[in-house]
Amino acid sequence: MSARIHTQSPEQTLEAGAEFAKTLGAGAIVALYGDLGAGKTEFVRGVCSGLGVPPSTVTSPTFAIVNEYPDGRLPVFHFDVYRVKTVGELFELGYEDYFFGDGVCLIEWPSLIEALLPDDTIRINISHLDGGREITFDYQVEQSPA
Ligand code: ADP
Ligand code: MG
């Protein structure tokens, strides 16, 4: 399943994240694709806001790999794997506890750890369009029993 929206300002990207957050349940993995400056972190702020975490407290975790926000409706784990060189670094971090726990994982630069992403990962791509942004959501369609 795929959906596509357009945002014309940072505020609208934040709002889109907050709306999307309403659809998230425990254990969701969200991979955020898009170039530097696309709006991935702004969207994550929105998701946090939608889950009850003040967006002003959300900063890019580039140096920490993962930032944790435990106080919302669901715990949020915000990954930025931009500086990760091998997936071994994710194993050292104990990524399984995050990916297979009860929080929501939001991952910037997911293509660097593509092999670690579960099948039910929600993929979101953000790209520049006409001065604003195009945000595309791709969900795995659930297979119905035969
Ligand atoms: P990334 O994390 O993908 O590198 P950021 O989230 O830091 O990008 O966003 C880069 C800039 O783009 C920020 O200043 C953000 O507020 C802005 N931005 C986000 N959405 C839009 C939009 N629809 N129109 C204009 N600017 C936007
Ligand atoms: Mg970012």
Side-chain angles (χ1 to χ4, degrees), residues 8-102:
Q8 303 302 337
S9 66
E11 293 73 23
Q12 286 184 6
T13 297
L14 193 100
E15 185 54 33
E19 280 297 309
F20 169 71
K22 294 179 185 170
T23 70
L24 293 175
I29 311 256
V30 181
L32 290 150
Y33 299 83
D35 294 338
L36 193 67
K40 301 181 294 296
T41 301
E42 193 71 51
F43 186 86
V44 168
R45 283 199 185 94
V47 172
C48 287
S49 166
L51 292 173
V53 176
S56 59
T57 65
V58 178
T59 55
S60 187
T62 297
F63 296 99
I65 300 185
V66 60
N67 283 348
E68 311 189 8
Y69 303 96
D71 297 327
R73 175 172 72 82
L74 299 166
V76 177
F77 302 109
H78 178 201
F79 289 77
D80 186 331
V81 300
Y82 187 68
R83 282 166 206 283
V84 167
K85 299 235 166 27
T86 70
V87 293
E89 291 176 53
L90 270 292
F91 284 97
E92 281 169 32
L93 189 73
Y95 87 96
E96 301 104 314
D97 291 346
Y98 298 103
F99 279 29
F100 304 109
D102 287 335

Side-chain angles (χ1 to χ4, degrees), residues 81-133:
V81 300
Y82 187 68
R83 282 166 206 283
V84 167
K85 299 235 166 27
T86 70
V87 293
E89 291 176 53
L90 270 292
F91 284 97
E92 281 169 32
L93 189 73
Y95 87 96
E96 301 104 314
D97 291 346
Y98 298 103
F99 279 29
F100 304 109
D102 287 335
V104 169
C105 290
L106 301 156
I107 307 156
E108 298 193 41
W109 302 102
S111 54
L112 298 174
I113 59 159
E114 198 68 46
L116 300 182
L117 298 177
D119 287 344
D120 60 354
T121 297
I122 301 167
R123 289 182 163 79
I124 297 178
N125 186 75
I126 309 181
S127 54
H128 287 253
L129 185 75
D130 298 337
R133 303 293 190 272

